[in-house]
Amino acid sequence: MSDKFISRAVIKRLPRYYRYLGELMENNIERISSKELSERMKVTASQIRQDFNNFGGFGQQGYGYNVEYLYTEIGKILGLTKTHNVIIVGAGNVGRALANYADFGKRGFVFTALFDIDISLKGTKVGDCPVFHVDDMESYVKENDVEIAALTLPKNNAPEIAAKLVSWGVDAIWNFAPVDLNLPDDVLVENVHLAESLMRLSYRIKEKD
Amino acid sequence: MSDKFISRAVIKRLPRYYRYLGELMENNIERISSKELSERMKVTASQIRQDFNNFGGFGQQGYGYNVEYLYTEIGKILGLTKTHNVIIVGAGNVGRALANYADFGKRGFVFTALFDIDISLKGTKVGDCPVFHVDDMESYVKENDVEIAALTLPKNNAPEIAAKLVSWGVDAIWNFAPVDLNLPDDVLVENVHLAESLMRLSYRIKEKD
DNA sequence: TAGATTGTTAATCGATTAACAATC
DNA sequence: TAGATTGTTAATCGATTAACAATC
């Protein structure tokens, strides 16, 4: 259960299952079959059962899946049972949007600090999140438990800053800069490339005509 | 060339090729082989050649690919040769961040209007983007050429607003709300689910230990 | 021409779907 | 028990990689 290799494709789908199960719980639905879930989510029931079975049997023959149990288990798999401290590097529009967006807190992601080169922002707050100067980042990262650093800064600085953050002890980078960071293979990077997302949309618009 | 089916996997990679080719141009590199590009991008040379050949021969045996030509051709494929008008629905933090982020403009995506329910924002501007009240959205969409609507509003309203936008003539939805919109199959939707991206990161952090 | 590198076919790999026996 | 639905194996499908002939 803990060491079986789970494919990237399966992991990618887990948060969506988690979201649907959360919605079912809100609607006080206690149990669900793979067939019904497949209709709601527009995927095959076979895929749902295969996916869940990567982690052991969550269901019961003749009954289906208990929604709350499954929700809890997927939460555990995704590592949502503990708090994750996140710092934001770059107090531009995206950085500020993240700091202000409280919804992540519900899933255990807490934005503990925001860093910027603009000295005039030092000591201010964005939402609940205190702003520091980048010069204080090294000591902050070394002295606090920072799991994730969200990079919301210009692409030129991103790879260098990312490398530093990793050397200071950050586990994972959530990268919003439109650049590949080229970090060692064991560093976890999740890219959010908004421009690429828009281009894919533009491709499909063109195809439709 | 225009009607051959191109797999989703290939399309997903095109913007990244486009970005690398843009960087090569900035560095005044004229030609590149699939082998060298594969080393920079950390993908196989075979995949690069397969991908490009979906669209016809862009290269030349013994020479490789001309960077500028390839860049231009991929730009055409992605539909970046024309301007795409985008409206933003919801003037929250994410909506404002998008409106302020000028970089999309370079690729031909122009944010022409931002809509919000907050009447006090009406008549203001976010960056260069004028803010209107949502009540004026229907007439705006019908009277102007709006290709893409970016949805940056609470999840409860998103599906309903999306359906309306489509009925008024919007071609594509760029959805930032953490919900599936359930629109007809021919409507183009590109989801940006930031919370899901964070959860995948959290899963991988847990696995690393 | 000789060397390099593409374009393209064939082989492999992995992910999805179908089918059904196990079992609640 | 009979019906329902999972867990799991086998079949299919699609995407990636390897190999090499074509050709600049």
Side-chain angles (χ1 to χ4, degrees):
Chain A
M1 184 165 169
S2 63
D3 45 14
K4 190 199 166 199
F5 174 76
I6 310 293
S7 82
R8 187 65 67 99
V10 174
I11 302 309
K12 234 188 135 189
R13 287 191 287 268
L14 286 183
R16 185 157 179 263
Y17 289 130
Y18 191 73
R19 174 156 54 84
Y20 270 84
L21 290 164
E23 282 172 16
L24 289 171
M25 276 170 71
E26 278 174 24
N27 296 323
N28 298 307
I29 294 171
E30 253 179 43
R31 49 172 278 204
I32 193 153
S33 67
S34 58
K35 183 161 178 294
E36 206 197 321
L37 190 56
S38 82
E39 282 156 9
R40 290 177 184 251
M41 295 186 67
K42 293 173 181 157
V43 297
T44 62
S46 203
Q47 180 167 79
I48 289 173
R49 294 202 298 278
Q50 286 276 20
D51 282 351
F52 292 168
N53 262 76
N54 280 293
F55 306 97
F58 291 155
Q60 197 170 60
Q61 281 101 327
Y63 172 88
Y65 299 88
N66 178 288
V67 173
E68 193 171 346
Y69 173 69
L70 190 54
Y71 179 82
T72 308
E73 290 303 309
I74 294 180
K76 282 185 203 164
I77 292 165
L78 287 170
L80 306 179
T81 48
K82 68 179 281 289
T83 292
H84 300 273
N85 291 331
V86 185
I87 62 168
I88 302 169
V89 186
N93 297 298
V94 175
R96 302 175 78 86
L98 292 179
N100 270 305
Y101 192 53
D103 253 32
F104 298 125
K106 281 190 242 158
R107 298 282 127 83
F109 299 96
V110 181
F111 297 105
T112 56
L114 204 167
F115 295 90
D116 202 272
I117 26 160
D118 183 349
I119 197 91
S120 72
L121 293 174
K122 188 174 168 170
T124 64
K125 282 200 165 197
V126 176
D128 293 334
C129 186
V131 182
F132 301 99
H133 191 259
V134 276
D135 287 348
D136 300 324
M137 194 157 67
E138 178 171 358
S139 59
Y140 183 95
V141 171
K142 287 180 173 172
E143 284 160 28
N144 294 275
D145 176 37
V146 178
E147 262 188 4
I148 301 171
L151 292 197
T152 57
L153 34 73
K155 67 170 176 168
N156 297 331
N157 311 325
E160 191 197 329
I161 300 269
K164 282 186 184 167
L165 285 163
V166 168
S167 75
W168 298 336
V170 166
D171 296 313
I173 304 282
W174 198 24
N175 176 43
F176 287 74
V179 67
D180 289 322
L181 299 176
N182 281 317
L183 296 167
D185 284 344
D186 65 314
V187 179
L188 307 173
V189 178
E190 179 84 18
N191 290 304
V192 180
H193 289 333
L194 296 181
E196 297 190 358
S197 167
L198 255 190
M199 289 183 211
R200 286 192 283 273
L201 203 48
S202 145
Y203 170 84
R204 289 162 64 201
I205 291 171
K206 207 197 55 167
E207 286 306 289
K208 214 167 97 171
D209 299 331
Chain B
M1 184 163 171
S2 64
D3 45 13
K4 189 198 167 199
F5 175 76
I6 310 294
S7 83
R8 188 66 66 100
V10 174
I11 301 310
K12 234 187 135 190
R13 286 191 289 267
L14 286 183
R16 186 157 177 263
Y17 290 129
Y18 192 71
R19 175 157 53 83
Y20 270 82
L21 291 164
E23 282 173 15
L24 290 171
M25 276 171 71
E26 279 174 24
N27 296 323
N28 298 308
I29 294 170
E30 252 179 45
R31 49 172 277 202
I32 193 153
S33 67
S34 59
K35 183 161 179 293
E36 205 197 319
L37 191 56
S38 81
E39 282 156 10
R40 290 178 185 251
M41 296 185 66
K42 292 172 183 159
V43 297
T44 62
S46 202
Q47 181 167 78
I48 290 174
R49 294 202 298 278
Q50 285 277 20
D51 282 352
F52 292 169
N53 262 77
N54 280 294
F55 306 99
F58 291 156
Q60 196 170 60
Q61 282 102 327
Y63 171 88
Y65 299 88
N66 177 286
V67 172
E68 193 171 346
Y69 173 70
L70 190 54
Y71 179 82
T72 309
E73 289 303 308
I74 295 181
K76 283 186 202 165
I77 292 164
L78 287 169
L80 305 180
T81 47
K82 67 180 281 290
T83 293
H84 300 272
N85 291 330
V86 185
I87 62 169
I88 302 168
V89 186
N93 297 298
V94 177
R96 303 174 78 85
L98 292 179
N100 270 304
Y101 192 54
D103 253 33
F104 297 125
K106 280 190 243 159
R107 298 281 127 82
F109 299 97
V110 180
F111 296 106
T112 55
L114 203 167
F115 295 89
D116 202 273
I117 25 160
D118 183 348
I119 196 92
S120 73
L121 293 175
K122 188 175 169 170
T124 65
K125 281 199 166 197
V126 176
D128 293 334
C129 186
V131 182
F132 301 98
H133 191 261
V134 277
D135 287 349
D136 300 323
M137 194 157 67
E138 179 172 357
S139 59
Y140 183 95
V141 171
K142 287 180 173 172
E143 285 160 27
N144 294 275
D145 176 37
V146 178
E147 262 187 5
I148 301 171
L151 292 197
T152 57
L153 35 72
K155 67 170 177 170
N156 296 332
N157 311 325
E160 192 196 329
I161 300 269
K164 281 185 184 167
L165 285 162
V166 168
S167 76
W168 298 335
V170 166
D171 296 313
I173 304 281
W174 198 23
N175 177 42
F176 287 75
V179 66
D180 290 321
L181 298 175
N182 281 318
L183 296 167
D185 284 343
D186 65 316
V187 179
L188 305 174
V189 178
E190 179 84 17
N191 290 304
V192 180
H193 290 332
L194 295 180
E196 298 190 0
S197 168
L198 256 190
M199 289 184 210
R200 285 192 283 272
L201 203 47
S202 146
Y203 169 84
R204 290 163 63 201
I205 290 171
K206 208 199 53 171
E207 285 306 289
K208 212 166 97 170
D209 300 331

